[in-house]
Amino acid sequence: VNIQARTVNEFIPKLKGILSEKIKACKLKLSEMQPTCATPSDRQHKLRRVTNNVQQEFFEAMTASDSRADENLHVSARMYEHFQKFQEAVMKEVPDFFSEKQEKDLDVLITEVRGGALANFMSHPVFRRIILRVFDGPLERHSQTLLEQSEEYLIEACSKFITESCGDGVPQLADALIEECNDIIRTQKEKACVIVKEIRSSEQWMFTQNHYYMETIAKIKAAINDLYKKLTGPDSDGDPPKTSSVHGVPEGFIRKYAQGLEEGATNEKMAIWDMQISLHCYAKVVEKRTFDVIPGIVRHKMVKQLHEELQMIDSRFTNDKIDTLMREDPKVARTRNQCEQSLQRLLNAQRAMRTI
């Protein structure tokens, strides 16, 4: 009996110590699981804090002032890559206007409109037909791809910004913010799509006030005339005069044109060569114009105005909706209730031990 009493007396302090440690750990766990948005004021503050953080993160990403490790969230750089892909995709479909095939095609087309139009005018039906064939379809396809890829990327990036800003505990709020943000992106994409379509439509009618078109034609013609003078000048019996490419016009074409002048090429042949030069120069105008304007519209409508809309996204949520969305995660609530019950049992055991 004495041995049993001594064993019990030794065990009781140890048991009390174990209970104290368990109670301490349980209280600590409960302190970390307290509801963070228990009042309407708390929920409003949480929403504003999240939305302000999202729009600030997006602003830093779109202005390249962010140094995140996740490079996919560098919005400015990733959007620029989409713009480059758009330009490269269109350029792949622009033909070499100075190739033999283009020359033969022009010969056939111009032959079929003689008597109805003077050769080598921008209003010439063949000129317009070729420019439309070169740019209308590719601009439509690749601008649509640019819009869709931009939409997909921005939805992915904004979802990450929102998820990070919300943190754990309010998954419904994160989902709702992502859906609202996606709606903004889709709306801005449709607005951009309308403007881009208008830009493409405007390119169906030949027009430019850009001096590049006529100035480039003049420089190409000057290079041809310069070579022609060398071919017919006093030193023409010596080595063949040298020439070089001018504004993307191949050396071979310049030499062919100059030799044609020397050999008395027909007016029809000269008209074809002039049309090739005009098409080349006008295509450069279209490229310069659309490769700036279309990405500029996408950037303005889908990036800049997205940031402006993000600054007001919290106004899309009523108080009732905020209360519903920021209701505590049922899993967290169950875990906390289980922890409270465990703490109560431990406290009851501790009180019982004190009577011993």
Side-chain angles (χ1 to χ4, degrees):
V1 174
N2 289 336
I3 293 173
Q4 289 177 340
R6 189 164 55 252
T7 301
V8 169
N9 289 335
E10 290 175 355
F11 176 70
I12 287 174
K14 291 181 180 179
L15 184 57
K16 288 181 177 179
I18 292 171
L19 279 172
S20 295
E21 289 299 319
K22 286 185 174 292
I23 289 169
K24 184 178 178 181
C26 202
K27 286 181 176 179
L28 178 61
K29 186 176 181 180
L30 273 172
S31 69
E32 296 172 349
M33 297 173 63
Q34 292 304 308
T36 56
C37 302
T39 67
S41 177
D42 290 340
R43 291 189 279 273
Q44 289 280 356
H45 180 69
K46 171 75 172 179
L47 177 62
R48 283 194 297 272
R49 187 169 69 250
V50 168
T51 55
N52 287 342
N53 190 64
V54 169
Q55 68 92 7
Q56 181 61 33
E57 292 275 0
F58 187 81
F59 176 78
E60 292 176 357
M62 82 173 193
T63 55
S65 56
D66 184 31
S67 57
R68 281 174 167 267
D70 186 352
E71 293 182 354
N72 196 46
L73 295 179
H74 295 174
V75 173
S76 177
R78 300 294 79 77
M79 287 299 294
Y80 191 83
E81 288 174 353
H82 288 307
F83 299 154
Q84 285 182 313
K85 289 177 183 177
F86 162 70
Q87 177 176 333
E88 291 166 0
V90 174
M91 285 297 296
K92 283 182 180 178
E93 300 196 42
V94 176
D96 176 7
F97 291 108
F98 301 104
S99 67
E100 289 186 13
K101 181 180 183 305
Q102 284 293 312
E103 184 176 342
K104 290 177 181 178
D105 288 348
L106 276 174
D107 191 5
V108 172
L109 291 169
I110 292 175
T111 298
E112 295 307 310
V113 296
R114 283 175 185 153
L118 295 175
N120 197 35
F121 280 82
M122 282 176 61
S123 57
H124 193 287
V126 170
F127 186 98
R128 181 171 182 269
R129 192 182 308 168
I130 292 177
I131 290 296
L132 285 177
R133 187 172 65 194
V134 169
F135 287 106
D136 196 41
L139 281 177
E140 180 179 7
R141 290 194 306 277
H142 299 305
S143 63
Q144 187 61 35
T145 299
L146 171 61
L147 288 161
E148 290 171 356
Q149 290 179 343
S150 297
E151 175 189 24
E152 182 180 346
Y153 166 71
L154 290 169
I155 285 176
E156 179 186 354
C158 286
S159 295
K160 289 184 179 179
F161 286 133
I162 291 170
T163 302
E164 290 178 5
S165 297
C166 283
D168 298 327
V170 283
Q172 289 180 297
L173 175 63
D175 290 343
L177 281 170
I178 288 172
E179 185 54 41
E180 291 294 338
C181 187
N182 292 352
D183 182 63
I184 293 171
I185 293 170
R186 294 186 190 104
T187 300
Q188 292 305 125
K189 175 206 168 186
E190 291 306 314
K191 291 179 179 179
C193 190
V194 171
I195 299 173
V196 169
K197 185 177 180 180
E198 288 297 317
I199 292 169
R200 293 201 319 267
S201 296
S202 72
E203 291 297 340
Q204 293 179 358
W205 301 97
M206 308 304 102
F207 174 80
T208 182
Q209 288 186 311
N210 193 329
H211 297 300
Y212 175 89
Y213 175 70
M214 291 306 300
E215 287 177 356
T216 305
I217 290 176
K219 290 176 181 178
I220 295 167
K221 286 294 190 73
I224 292 168
N225 288 330
D226 182 58
L227 180 59
Y228 169 70
K229 290 177 183 178
K230 293 177 181 178
L231 290 171
T232 58
D235 299 327
S236 59
D237 294 334
D239 294 334
K242 294 181 179 181
T243 186
S244 60
S245 173
V246 178
H247 286 277
V249 181
E251 176 186 352
F253 179 84
I254 293 173
R255 186 173 297 279
K256 178 174 67 175
Y257 198 126
Q259 288 173 342
L261 288 173
E262 180 190 17
E263 297 167 2
T266 64
N267 289 336
E268 288 79 7
K269 178 61 72 174
M270 302 283 286
I272 292 172
W273 292 340
D274 284 342
M275 183 75 78
Q276 287 178 275
I277 295 171
S278 296
L279 287 167
H280 170 78
C281 294
Y282 190 77
K284 294 297 181 186
V285 171
V286 175
E287 290 163 11
K288 290 174 183 291
R289 192 156 55 201
T290 55
F291 293 164
D292 269 348
V293 174
I294 291 178
I297 291 298
V298 174
R299 187 178 186 279
H300 177 70
K301 301 301 291 186
M302 296 187 68
V303 180
K304 183 177 180 296
Q305 290 195 354
L306 170 59
H307 172 253
E308 293 173 1
E309 291 289 335
L310 286 174
Q311 296 179 67
M312 301 179 289
I313 196 171
D314 55 349
S315 65
R316 293 173 170 238
F317 296 87
T318 63
N319 289 335
D320 289 342
K321 187 174 182 179
I322 293 170
D323 291 342
T324 301
L325 293 173
M326 301 185 74
R327 188 178 296 141
E328 188 175 30
D329 186 347
K331 291 181 180 179
V332 176
R334 282 197 298 272
T335 303
R336 187 176 61 252
N337 289 337
Q338 291 170 357
C339 193
E340 288 173 346
Q341 292 171 11
S342 296
L343 176 62
Q344 190 59 51
R345 287 194 292 270
L346 289 169
L347 290 172
N348 290 339
Q350 188 182 55
R351 281 192 293 271
M353 291 296 296
R354 286 173 181 163
T355 62
I356 299 175

